[in-house]
């Protein structure tokens, strides 16, 4: 019986892309300026420009891979194989103590809900920005808007309860909502949402106005004697919905105005390189490490960069 591939197909595709870009860089570099015939312009400059572009797109693709949960050693191995180098040995595992089974379960549940809350922030930020600028093809609908905010608050309460149950530390919190990988994923999300047309923004926003979330206080976490909150906790909670919306608004604006493209990782080039134009990139209800990123799930909420 054939064993299933333990690596999801979309991760394999990203790693293959990194390897191919590294290999192409080596090939073009070996040609030298004298052997390069890319265009009718100056051969020296064309050759250097081609090398720079290959490096930028490879680095961008690596950022996308990291932000979507591809382990760094895998990325480095793909890069080394493409460049014809012996793959670097796997690093020694960190001495950091692994979380307990219960804590890991709470963190897994929290990550799914946090994924949805961050996505909701980008969707409502995109809609409100387009409404404010005029020309948006749909009305404001304050009643549905209030329901949307209530659902965000509900999800934030649930995430806070799970954070308390997991007894997260400041280090845990940094990994969950302030790490470089999370920031990369926010930039990717901003670039993708900016490409949505008005109908996609509106239909996604409408799905999140429905109150079909799970309970604000999950039934499987320990609660205090009154049953009103988690019985344990460190007092460290996630960013508020308004903080997430404000951050999403800034990133949508910066990405659209080209600020992201001026950084080292050229996010627009990365998306074009790593995700072909026909790819249906969805941000649905599965966490990044299990999402195939090729089909929008039927259900928009619950426990889908």
């Amino acid at each position: 019986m054939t064993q299933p591939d333990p690596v999801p197909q979309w991760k394999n595709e990203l790693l293959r892309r990194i390897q191919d870009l590294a290999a192409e860089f080596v090939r073009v570099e070996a040609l030298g300026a004298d052997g390069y015939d890319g265009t009718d312009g100056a051969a020296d400059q064309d050759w250097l420009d081609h090398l720079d572009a290959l490096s930028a797109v490879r680095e961008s693709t690596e950022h996308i891979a990291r932000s979507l949960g591809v382990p760094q050693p895998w990325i480095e191995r793909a890069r080394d194989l493409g460049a014809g180098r012996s793959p670097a040995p796997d690093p020694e595992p960190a001495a950091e103590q692994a979380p307990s089974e219960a804590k890991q379960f709470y963190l897994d549940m929290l990550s799914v809900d946090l994924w949805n809350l961050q996505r909701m922030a980008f969707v409502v930020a995109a809609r409100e920005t387009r409404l404010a600028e005029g020309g948006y093809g749909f009305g404001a609908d304050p009643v549905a808007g209030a329901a949307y905010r209530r659902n965000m608050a509900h999800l934030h309460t649930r995430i806070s309860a799970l954070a308390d149950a997991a007894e997260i530390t400041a280090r845990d919190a940094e990994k969950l909502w302030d790490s470089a990988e999370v920031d990369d994923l926010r930039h990717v999300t901003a670039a993708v949402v900016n490409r949505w047309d008005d109908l996609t923004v509106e239909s996604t926003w409408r799905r999140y106005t429905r109150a079909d979330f799970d309970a604000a206080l999950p039934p499987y976490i320990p609660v205090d004697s009154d049953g009103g909150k988690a019985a344990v906790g460190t007092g460290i909670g996630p960013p508020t919905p308004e903080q997430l919306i404000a951050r999403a608004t800034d990133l949508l604006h910066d990405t659209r105005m080209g600020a992201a493209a001026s950084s080292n990782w050229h996010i627009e080039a990365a998306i074009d390189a790593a995700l072909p134009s026909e790819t249906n990139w969805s941000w649905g209800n599965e966490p990044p490490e299990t999402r195939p990123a090729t089909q929008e799930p039927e259900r928009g909420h619950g426990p889908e960069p």
Side-chain angles (χ1 to χ4, degrees), residues 205 221 298:
W205 182 81
I221 67 173
E298 289 290 330

Side-chain angles (χ1 to χ4, degrees), residues 123 130 136 138 196-205 207:
V123 172
R130 297 185 191 195
Y136 187 65
F138 303 90
W196 287 358
D197 57 23
D198 288 354
L199 180 58
T200 302
V201 171
E202 184 70 14
S203 61
T204 306
W205 182 81
R207 286 201 300 272

